[in-house]
């Protein structure tokens, strides 16, 4: 007798399959990273507190404003903050529910925060010895990822397998020029990003939208150098 095999039970990726990959993270994490915050709440558009910067970990029903929290009083909620037009969350809040190890932390307003999504750089700065394993952003030596989104991607079995293949290639060709290795590393990253666009390990953007004219309403305009009138120094 031929027994039907449930596709969900197959160990497709060699390390427990995609279901085990998903179980590594809380169910609310990926939806939260994919959400776009700091937009006006549709339910409380007339209120001055209608900016959506909250997320309920229990309901996972999208972004919330402070007025929406009245319906989530007994739920776990995370406040999303902003730094340089990118979304961040305080480590003291999220570490209660998620391990943030190896993710670069920053001090903003006297609080330690981590970024939600990647912030790739065109090229690392001079003297940089450590970069994000996913998007190559400059990091301190004790960290591996620049954001929570990059940690999810970089911790996946598929990404680790490609990383090992790259390391094996470097060991076989130790005299490979630095420029060649950089091109090869970028090629691997490009391949990974193209794979991410069609798989569940995709980048969790849309990222925070770029600044608009609204963001600069409160910006102080710098005064120019004052000039006296041509006859201002004449005595009558």
């Amino acid at each position: 007798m031929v027994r039907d095999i449930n596709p969900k039970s197959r160990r497709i990726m060699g390390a427990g399959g995609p279901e085990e990959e998903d179980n590594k993270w809380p169910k609310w994490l990926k939806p939260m990273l994919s959400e776009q915050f700091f937009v006006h709440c549709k339910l409380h558009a007339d209120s001055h507190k209608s900016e959506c910067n909250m997320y309920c970990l229990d309901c996972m029903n999208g972004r919330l404003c402070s007025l929406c929290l009245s319906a989530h009083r007994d739920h776990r909620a995370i406040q999303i903050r902003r730094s340089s037009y990118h979304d961040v969350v305080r480590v003291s809040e999220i570490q209660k529910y998620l391990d943030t190890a190896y993710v670069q932390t920053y001090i903003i307003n006297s609080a330690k925060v981590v970024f939600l999504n990647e912030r790739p750089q065109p090229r690392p700065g001079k003297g940089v010895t450590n970069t994000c394993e996913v998007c190559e952003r400059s990091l301190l030596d004790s960290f591996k990822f620049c954001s929570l989104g990059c940690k999810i991607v970089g911790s996946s079995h598929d990404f680790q397998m490609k990383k090992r293949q790259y390391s094996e290639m470097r060991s076989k060709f130790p005299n490979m020029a630095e420029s060649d290795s950089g091109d090869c590393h970028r090629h691997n990253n490009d391949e990974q990003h193209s794979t991410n666009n069609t798989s569940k390990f995709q980048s969790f953007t849309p990222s925070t939208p770029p600044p608009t004219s609204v963001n600069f309403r409160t910006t102080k305009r710098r005064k120019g150098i004052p000039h006296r009138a041509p006859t201002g120094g004449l005595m009558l």
Side-chain angles (χ1 to χ4, degrees):
M1 179 181 294
V2 179
R3 185 178 64 178
D4 292 336
I5 300 177
N6 186 353
K8 293 184 179 181
S9 64
R10 297 177 181 175
R11 301 172 65 88
I12 299 174
M13 303 181 67
E19 283 191 349
E20 187 168 320
E21 291 279 345
D22 283 338
N23 292 335
K24 292 167 55 176
W25 311 105
K27 295 181 179 180
W28 50 263
L29 181 56
K30 292 181 181 180
M32 186 184 74
L33 297 182
S34 302
E35 193 63 66
Q36 183 176 346
F37 295 94
F38 297 97
V39 297
H40 290 293
C41 178
K42 296 180 179 180
L43 299 178
H44 305 97
D46 296 333
S47 174
H48 67 282
K49 297 182 179 180
S50 63
E51 189 175 56
C52 295
N53 63 341
M54 305 293 297
Y55 191 84
C56 180
L57 308 185
D58 295 321
C59 296
M60 298 182 294
N61 57 348
R63 55 184 178 259
L64 304 172
C65 71
S66 58
L67 299 178
C68 293
L69 289 180
S70 59
H72 304 263
R73 293 178 180 176
D74 298 329
H75 297 177
R76 300 171 300 166
I78 289 289
Q79 181 176 355
I80 308 301
R81 306 170 193 273
R82 178 172 285 185
S83 174
S84 301
Y85 306 105
H86 290 274
D87 297 337
V88 302
V89 63
R90 286 186 175 178
V91 175
S92 60
E93 296 181 17
I94 199 163
Q95 69 180 359
K96 301 175 184 177
Y97 318 109
L98 178 69
D99 181 13
T100 60
Y102 303 113
V103 180
Q104 172 82 63
T105 59
Y106 300 85
I107 303 297
I108 299 177
N109 295 331
S110 302
K112 186 180 295 185
V113 302
V114 291
F115 282 85
L116 297 190
N117 290 299
E118 65 178 26
R119 297 172 299 132
Q121 288 176 315
R123 62 182 62 180
K126 293 183 179 179
V128 174
T129 58
N130 185 40
T131 59
C132 177
E133 294 184 0
V134 177
C135 70
E136 296 188 340
R137 185 174 186 86
S138 303
L139 301 177
L140 298 177
D141 293 338
S142 57
F143 299 101
K144 295 182 179 180
F145 309 106
C146 72
S147 63
L148 298 178
C150 284
K151 181 176 181 178
I152 294 179
V153 175
S155 300
S156 67
H157 175 75
D158 185 54
F159 185 90
Q160 292 297 325
M161 182 176 62
K162 291 185 178 181
K163 182 180 177 181
R164 286 194 299 270
Q165 292 174 351
Y166 173 73
S167 300
E168 292 174 358
M169 182 185 62
R170 288 296 304 271
S171 62
K172 291 180 180 179
F173 303 97
N175 297 326
M176 183 170 54
E178 186 67 22
S179 59
D180 295 337
S181 64
D183 293 338
C184 185
H185 186 47
R186 284 190 294 271
H187 174 73
N188 285 345
N189 282 338
D190 292 341
E191 182 180 355
Q192 174 65 27
H193 284 300
S194 63
T195 304
N196 290 340
N197 290 333
T198 57
S199 69
K200 63 181 177 180
F201 298 117
Q202 63 183 355
S203 175
F204 297 95
T205 49
S207 59
T208 306
T212 60
S213 59
V214 178
N215 301 121
F216 296 98
R217 288 178 179 175
T218 58
T219 303
K220 295 182 179 180
R221 180 177 297 177
R222 187 174 181 178
K223 295 182 179 180
I225 301 175
H227 296 279
R228 294 182 178 276
T231 57
L234 297 179
M235 298 295 295
L236 299 177

